[in-house]
Amino acid sequence: MSDLYKKDAPFQVYISFKKYLDVLEHIRYNDRLEYRVNYAESIIEKTKNFKELRDGFQDTSLLEKNDDLIKLLLADLFPTGLTNNEIKAASIPLSNITFNYTERFKAILKDAGKDFEIELRNIDDDEFYVFCCCLILQSYFKRDIKSNIPFYYDIPNKHGIMKHYKITVNADFTELCPTDKAKIPSAEVLDMLLENLDDIKLWKKYFPSKSWILKGFSIISLVDCTSEVALSDLKSTMIQIDPENFNPDENLIEIFKSYFDVAQLNFGLMLFNKKDQRLEKLPIYENVFTNHILDFWINAFDEETRKNTFTSLNHNSKPIVVSNIENLDHDIKSLPSFRILRDNKINSFMVIPIVKDNELLAIMEFTSPIANSFNGLKLKKLEFFSDMILFSLNRFSFEKNYQIEAIIQREYTTIHDSVVWKFRNEAEKYFNASLAKKIYTLKQISFKNLTPLFGFSDIRSSSEKRFSLMLEDLNQQIESLHQIFSLINSESEKYILALDIFENELNNEIKADSEQRFQRLLRDEIHHFLQGKLEIKSSSEVKAKIKDYFAQVFPQTDLFYANRKSLDDSITLVNRKLADMLDEAQVKAQQIFPHYYERFKSDGVEHNLYTGQNIAPELHYHSKIVHKLRYWQLKTICNMELEFQNFKKDLPINLDIASLIFVYNEKVDIRFRMDEKRFDVDGAYNSYYEIIKKRLDKAHVKDSTDRITCPGKITIVYFGMENQKEYLEYINKLQKKNILKNDVEFLRVEDLQGTTGLLALRVSLA
C-alpha cells in the first residue's frame, strides 16, 4: 500500500519504529539500572526478526497482524495505569490511520459506531499540502515558523452528541529526508514561499509530490474540548443572525447539544417588540427554532397580564430553570396551562430573558424531553457567550431597522445630469416600443464598478442642545403660568400643585413621557381654564398676562417653542449655507470627470459621489481621476468649515460642526430604485459600505471616549497605509496654502459592528 494519505502530500510515508528502537538500544548499553537494561534487551530480541519495524513499511495490514508485538514495543509510552484515563494512540504521521489505542480511546471509538471514520476537521487539500511543506521547513531546514495549526477530531458519543477533541502530536520518533527528486530551495526561495502561503502551485514547484521521505510514527493525545469548540461555533453562528440571511444555520441546535451535553434539546428565541409589548418570532428561523413555552407566553395570558409580566422582567430578569417538571408544586401541575409542557413532552427547561440597560430585548428557551437535562450549572455556561447574544441581537436590530428604513423611504430626487443619458436611452426604447404597439418592460438602471466618495459636516451635539432648549422652553412656560396663577388666588391651587410636580420632574427625574403628559395637562385643563378667564370679568393685569402667555404658545403643540425654534432656524441656516457651497463646488468637480452626486440635509450635510467608466462610457477614465476628486473633496470640506467659522457668530444659537471623509477603495454598484426614486448601492456585498458609513458619525477613537470627529478639525477615515500616504500628500498641499495646520494626528478607530481595522487622520483648520 503506497498511499497512506487520502490527500496529496510532498512525502512518501513509511511506518517505522527505528528511532524508538534506537532509544531502547541506548538504554540496553548505557543505563545503569539492570531491570531497565533487561527490559530493553528483551524488547529488542522480540522484534529482531521483524526487520520492517526498523526499515519501514507501507502495508498497514502489518499493524493489525503484529498488534501484540507493537503493543509490547510501545508499552513504555502507553502506561497501563493510565490507559483508562488518557485518550491516546500511535499514528502514521499526519494521517487518519491510528493504532495501539488506550482503553479510553477504544471506548470512545466504540460509542461512535463501527461505520465511523476518524478524520481531521476543517483542513482542505491545499492547506494540508502547505502544512506538510512547512514541517519540512521546520524539521529539515530548521526554520522557526511556528506552524502549530490546531487539529481537531469530531467524534459522536453513544447518545449522538458530537464531541470535539483537540489533538496534540509528539513527533519525536519521525525523521525526514529528501529523495533524488527533491529540490533544495535557497533561503531566498524559502522566504518567498512563506510570503505566499496560499499559492499552492508555487509550493508544489519547489516541493513536488512525494519528493521527500517521512519515516517513523507519532503519538497523538486527545483532549476533550467540546465546550470550547462549541462555544466558538456558537459565537460564529450568533454573529451570522442577519435579516438578509434566508439560509439559517440549522446546525445551531447540534452546537447547543454539544455545548450543554444534552442529547435531546430544542431551542427557541423570540425578540421583544417594545412598542407593541409582545414577543415576535424570527421568520427566517421559524422552521429551526421551537418556541413551545414562549408561544404559550404569547397566547395564554390576557394582554394586561402579559404587559405586566414584560414590565417586571425589565427590573427582575432572573432566568427560570426547572430540572424536572415532576418536582413542581401540585398546584402548578394542576393548572390547565401546564398542558403546554405535557403536550410537547417537555420534562426539563430553561427560560432566559435577555436584558440590557433594564430593557428586555428577547427571551430564549431551552427544552428537553429528558428530565434533569438542565440545571444551575448549565445556566452558568450561558454566561460565557451572553455578550455575544447581546451583540448579535443588537446587530440584528440595527440591520432590521436599516432594511426597514430602506423599504419605507419614499423620497423623490432629481435625476442627476451625469446619469440622465441612461434613463433617456431606456425611456427611448420604451417610447419606440409603444409606437410599434409592442410590449416593453423598463429595465433597471444601474452602474457597476464605481468608486465611492463620502463625507459629512455634522452639527455636533444637536440632540443634546435640543433637549436642553426643550427644558428651557418648558421651564419658562411653567414660570409664566406660575405668574398668572399667583394673580388668581382662587381655583388655581390644583394647577399650581400640578405645575410644581412637573417642574420637579423636568429638572430632576425627567421621564420619556413627561413632555407628553405636560402637553395633555395644558390642552385638556389649563388652557381651557385660562381661556375662560379671558371671557369673564377679570382684572386687566390678569388678561394681559394670559394674552402674553398665549402669544408665546406654539399652536400645534400648546407648548413654548422659542428656544427650540432658534435652534431649528440655526440648523436650517447652517444646512442651507453648507449645501449651497457644496453644490457650487460640485459643478467644478464634474469637469474633472462626470460622476453621480447626491447630498442630504438633516443635522448637517452629507454627500455621496460615485465615479467610474460606466458613468461616462465615451470618455477616457483612469486612476488619477479618483485622486483628483478626493483632493477636491478634502479641499471643499475645508472651505466649508472655514466659511462656517465666519458666519457661526451670526447664528441665533451657537453651533459647531465636525467634518469627516470616508475613503473606500472597493468598487460598488448603484441601482436606481423605482419605488424610492433614488439611487442606492446594489446588493448585499455593497451594502457593507453603507453600513460603515452609518456607523462613523458616532465612532470613537480606539480605547478612548473621544469621538473621531472634532469641531475645527477634518477627520479622514480609511483602511490601509496606501490611503494614508495619499491623503498626507493632499494635507501637505493644503498646509502650504495655509488652509490646514501642521498638527496631523494618527488615530485608530474603535471596532464597529462587523468592521475592524479602520484608521484615521485628523488635522486642524488654520
Side-chain angles (χ1 to χ4, degrees), residues 244-287:
E244 289 191 342
N245 177 19
F246 292 102
N247 296 300
D249 187 355
E250 299 188 11
N251 197 43
L252 182 62
I253 304 300
E254 297 302 319
I255 298 173
F256 275 127
K257 288 179 181 178
S258 294
Y259 186 62
F260 289 112
D261 198 19
V262 175
Q264 298 182 51
L265 174 147
N266 290 309
F267 171 68
L269 173 69
M270 285 192 179
L271 300 179
F272 179 62
N273 184 320
K274 182 180 177 182
K275 179 183 177 184
D276 298 331
Q277 292 287 298
R278 60 185 175 86
L279 293 173
E280 294 179 342
K281 295 181 180 180
L282 290 167
I284 58 175
Y285 284 89
E286 199 163 350
N287 297 324

Side-chain angles (χ1 to χ4, degrees), residues 262 265 321 323 348-350 366-368 372-375 378:
V262 175
L265 174 147
V321 183
S323 297
S348 183
F349 67 86
M350 299 190 296
F366 294 91
T367 63
S368 176
N372 301 311
S373 291
F374 301 108
N375 51 45
K378 299 290 174 69

Side-chain angles (χ1 to χ4, degrees), residues 452-467:
L453 287 82
F454 170 74
F456 64 72
S457 295
D458 186 47
I459 295 174
R460 178 55 63 90
S461 304
S462 57
S463 298
E464 290 84 352
K465 286 182 182 293
R466 187 171 278 107
F467 178 78

Side-chain angles (χ1 to χ4, degrees), residues 12-29:
Q12 296 177 36
V13 183
Y14 293 88
I15 308 165
S16 170
F17 297 88
K18 176 183 178 299
K19 289 192 76 172
Y20 185 60
L21 287 168
D22 289 345
V23 172
L24 293 176
E25 289 281 3
H26 180 80
I27 294 172
R28 179 184 188 182
Y29 294 111

